[in-house]
């Protein structure tokens, strides 16, 4: 089992609690979690990768309960096994596109002497002509595509994508969805996408809707 969550949720100071359905995904499986703003999609993704601590419940990745890891252990585990695509792309501005990707492989303890893997991914995402550009000079859509490449070049077991098509037109949104799905299939990586983009629904056979019904007011149950 690549990913398993059980009883996951958050308690808020205002007395509100956010609970999520359980997830169980095996290697190579894909899942779209969709819903409106405020339904907790991003919070769920952040808890899965350990960027946010749940108030209750557990997350297991490759049978490892990530809440039992120290901060340094979690950072290492995340670098080895999880590719994360957040809503806001973050890169080292002083480095070029190519250098950012090579650094990602280095930090994940992957072989970096052969740049062909990185070049191939840049070609798949139609960014090869930007390999020597500094990342701050890219458009938001180009940065978003680069973020997916950075997640994929580390050859992770689990890829988490938060609103991956939000800044993309229809052509590039379809390109991103197809490349992500095909790449995860080829690498036998598990893919979890959270999004409110209706364009993605036709791409995923496995879907979970998050609605505001998952918000529960304590004391009113």
């Amino acid at each position: 089992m690549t990913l398993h969550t059980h009883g996951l949720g958050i308690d808020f100071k205002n007395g509100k609690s956010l609970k999520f359905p359980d997830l169980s995904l095996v290697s190579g499986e894909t899942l779209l979690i969709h819903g409106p703003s405020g339904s907790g999609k991003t919070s769920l993704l952040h808890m899965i990768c350990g960027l946010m601590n749940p108030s209750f419940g557990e997350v297991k990745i490759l049978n490892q309960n990530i809440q039992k890891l120290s901060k340094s252990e979690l950072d290492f585990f995340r670098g080895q096994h999880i590719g994360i695509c957040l809503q806001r792309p973050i890169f080292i501005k002083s480095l070029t596109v190519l250098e950012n990707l090579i650094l990602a492989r280095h930090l994940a303890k992957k072989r970096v002497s052969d740049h062909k893997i990185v070049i191939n991914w840049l070609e798949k995402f139609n960014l090869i002509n930007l390999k020597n550009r500094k990342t701050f000079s890219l458009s938001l859509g180009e940065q978003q595509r680069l973020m997916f490449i950075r997640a994929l070049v580390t050859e992770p077991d689990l890829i988490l994508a938060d609103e991956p098509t939000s800044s993309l037109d229809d052509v590039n949104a379809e390109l991103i969805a197809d490349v992500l799905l095909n790449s995860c299939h080829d690498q036998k990586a598990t893919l979890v996408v959270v999004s409110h983009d209706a364009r993605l629904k036709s791409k995923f056979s496995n879907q979970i809707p998050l609605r505001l019904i998952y918000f529960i007011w304590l004391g009113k149950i």
Side-chain angles (χ1 to χ4, degrees):
M1 186 68 64
T2 302
L3 171 65
H4 177 75
T5 70
H6 178 70
L8 211 57
I10 313 171
D11 289 335
F12 296 97
K13 292 181 179 179
N14 61 4
K16 192 159 53 176
S17 179
L18 183 57
K19 300 179 70 175
F20 297 98
D22 294 343
L23 306 179
S24 291
L25 299 171
V26 299
S27 175
E29 194 170 2
T30 63
L31 172 67
L32 172 66
I33 302 174
H34 57 86
S37 298
S39 57
K41 300 185 303 296
T42 296
S43 295
L44 175 57
L45 208 70
H46 285 189
M47 285 189 288
I48 290 173
C49 65
L51 293 177
M52 177 186 293
N53 293 322
S55 300
F56 44 88
E58 65 177 17
V59 177
K60 287 186 176 181
I61 298 173
L62 300 174
N63 295 319
Q64 171 64 58
N65 187 328
I66 65 170
Q67 291 138 285
K68 293 184 177 180
L69 297 174
S70 67
K71 185 180 184 302
S72 60
E73 289 172 338
L74 179 56
D75 287 341
F76 181 79
F77 183 86
R78 197 159 38 217
Q80 290 286 294
H81 301 292
I82 307 175
I84 307 172
C85 305
L86 302 176
Q87 286 191 48
R88 290 188 176 184
I90 300 174
F91 303 102
I92 298 178
K93 293 182 179 181
S94 60
L95 300 181
T96 65
V97 166
L98 185 61
E99 290 167 341
N100 267 277
L101 297 176
I102 292 171
L103 176 61
R105 282 187 60 83
H106 171 72
L107 294 175
K109 310 298 182 183
K110 304 296 182 180
R111 183 164 56 90
V112 297
S113 58
D114 185 359
H115 295 176
K116 288 183 180 179
I117 293 175
V118 174
I119 295 298
N120 286 340
W121 281 115
L122 286 169
E123 289 175 342
K124 284 184 180 181
F125 280 83
N126 295 333
L127 291 180
I128 187 63
N129 60 318
L130 304 178
K131 67 177 183 177
N132 295 319
R133 289 260 301 272
K134 295 294 178 66
T135 55
F136 67 83
S137 69
L138 305 182
S139 69
L140 183 57
E142 289 167 343
Q143 289 184 35
Q144 201 163 22
R145 280 185 281 163
L146 179 59
M147 185 169 52
F148 303 131
I149 299 175
R150 184 176 60 186
L152 289 162
V153 296
T154 62
E155 303 167 45
D157 299 288
L158 173 64
I159 295 176
L160 306 173
D162 190 359
E163 299 289 358
T165 55
S166 60
S167 300
L168 303 176
D169 57 28
D170 289 347
V171 172
N172 281 309
E174 183 158 359
L175 168 68
I176 288 294
D178 289 341
V179 172
L180 277 176
L181 289 166
N182 292 333
S183 300
C184 288
H185 178 269
D186 294 341
Q187 295 184 181
K188 294 182 172 57
T190 301
L191 172 66
V192 178
V193 173
V194 301
S195 179
H196 69 276
D197 190 344
R199 296 176 297 182
L200 292 178
K201 290 184 179 181
S202 63
K203 298 288 185 178
F204 289 80
S205 57
N206 190 14
Q207 302 182 22
I208 292 178
L210 286 188
R211 300 187 179 91
L212 295 182
I213 58 172
Y214 288 113
F215 280 101
I216 300 175
W217 288 95
L218 299 184
K220 296 185 178 180
I221 305 301

